[in-house]
Amino acid sequence: MTTSGDKTITIALMDPPYESGTTTTALRIVDAALRKGINVNVFAYEGAVNMTMKAQAPHPNPVKGTSIEEQDHPSTARFIAGLFELSQSGPALDWINCGLCVDERGAGDWIEGPRRGGPGDLFKMSQASTNTLIIGTR
Amino acid sequence: MADYLLVESRDPFEYADTSYFYQMAEDLCKAGNNVTFFLVQNGVIMARKGISNDAIARLQSAAPAVKILADDFSLRERAITADKLADGVASSDVDALVDMLAVPGVKAVWH
């Protein structure tokens, strides 16, 4: 593990939850960076603003016959809450949900941690970062 | 000369536009840049040995200096074990990807 507290990575994420492997990869990147001591900014826009919805509910798996508890469905909100927990003891995680995208989707009820912003914040984050990775859907 | 980190998450069997990304890696390399081509998600499908119409082999042949890496998590998910990995592709991981991202000046492009 490297410790790089002076470094910051910004990631722009557009994918909605549960649609592509990109969500998992992006969260893995955030996790790896935080564990290395690198600060992370996330700018979630379009469908990605749904990732932090507080009311995301786990479900059983009727195909396998497993209950909610047995299935232990990993929601994106739970993943991201875990990332915020990780950032409590080390590098910072700043997660901005695009307000325009949130309003369009009625997706404003989040877990603790994310804040509301706009496209201008992505520019500011990028300017203040070591590097920026823009992950588009198409 | 610049350092490029190209992240390919798509496979050519599903997306025809992947050929442009492979071509960009080749062109950037031929223009004298350092290029790392990082395969992730379905992008790693091209890292399986024995694929016909092999974009990886073509890239290696056209621009041997391009460093081709494949995310081990994505490889495991798709049952691509070490003995099934195409020649010239090295298994890597998201930790390594983050290390590359954390280098100032590296130009990272996701596809």
Side-chain angles (χ1 to χ4, degrees):
Chain A
M1 179 188 286
T2 57
T3 302
S4 316
D6 56 335
K7 291 185 175 179
T8 301
I9 292 172
T10 292
I11 297 173
L13 190 57
M14 189 178 183
D15 283 79
Y18 316 119
E19 282 204 16
S20 85
T22 300
T23 304
T24 306
T25 305
L27 296 179
R28 287 173 59 218
I29 291 171
V30 175
D31 177 74
L34 291 174
R35 289 180 193 279
K36 284 174 176 286
I38 298 170
N39 304 311
V40 180
N41 299 323
V42 176
F43 183 77
Y45 64 118
E46 303 294 353
V49 299
N50 289 297
M51 290 173 63
T52 49
M53 292 289 289
K54 191 195 298 181
Q56 287 183 14
H59 55 74
N61 186 327
V63 176
K64 292 195 289 184
T66 48
S67 66
I68 291 176
E69 292 73 24
E70 289 165 333
Q71 190 63 21
D72 196 21
H73 184 70
S75 70
T76 53
R78 268 180 63 196
F79 267 121
I80 295 162
L83 294 173
F84 273 109
E85 213 173 293
L86 189 58
S87 75
Q88 295 295 311
S89 56
L93 171 61
D94 188 7
W95 186 294
I96 290 182
N97 283 326
C98 168
L100 299 173
C101 313
V102 166
D103 294 343
E104 283 175 337
R105 292 162 178 79
D109 191 18
W110 311 326
I111 56 170
E112 289 292 317
R115 62 189 177 98
R116 183 185 174 96
D121 290 305
L122 172 59
F123 179 72
K124 288 176 198 162
M125 284 171 156
S126 181
Q127 290 293 98
S129 292
T130 312
N131 218 324
T132 298
L133 183 63
I134 305 289
I135 303 179
T137 51
R138 292 282 181 270
Chain B
M1 185 170 72
D3 296 317
Y4 284 86
L5 171 60
L6 306 184
V7 184
E8 178 56 285
S9 66
R10 305 177 188 182
D11 78 272
F13 302 110
E14 189 176 1
Y15 291 96
D17 63 353
T18 53
S19 62
Y20 301 118
F21 207 59
Y22 280 78
Q23 186 66 52
M24 186 165 79
E26 178 185 331
D27 291 346
L28 287 169
C29 182
K30 284 180 172 172
N33 299 291
N34 293 319
V35 180
T36 299
F37 200 70
F38 192 97
L39 302 165
V40 69
Q41 296 166 209
N42 279 343
V44 304
I45 287 173
M46 291 311 291
R48 183 179 273 135
K49 204 180 276 182
I51 280 185
S52 60
N53 193 18
D54 191 339
I56 293 286
R58 280 198 303 278
L59 176 57
Q60 286 174 324
S61 168
V66 174
K67 188 176 179 184
I68 304 177
L69 305 175
D71 173 45
D72 65 347
F73 181 97
S74 306
L75 289 168
R76 284 198 308 275
E77 283 185 323
R78 290 157 184 83
I80 303 174
T81 49
D83 58 315
K84 304 263 176 54
L85 204 56
D87 293 337
V89 180
S91 177
S92 187
D93 55 29
V94 162
D95 272 348
L97 181 68
V98 167
D99 286 340
M100 288 183 269
L101 272 175
V103 176
V106 168
K107 299 173 194 302
V109 184
W110 176 284
H111 179 247

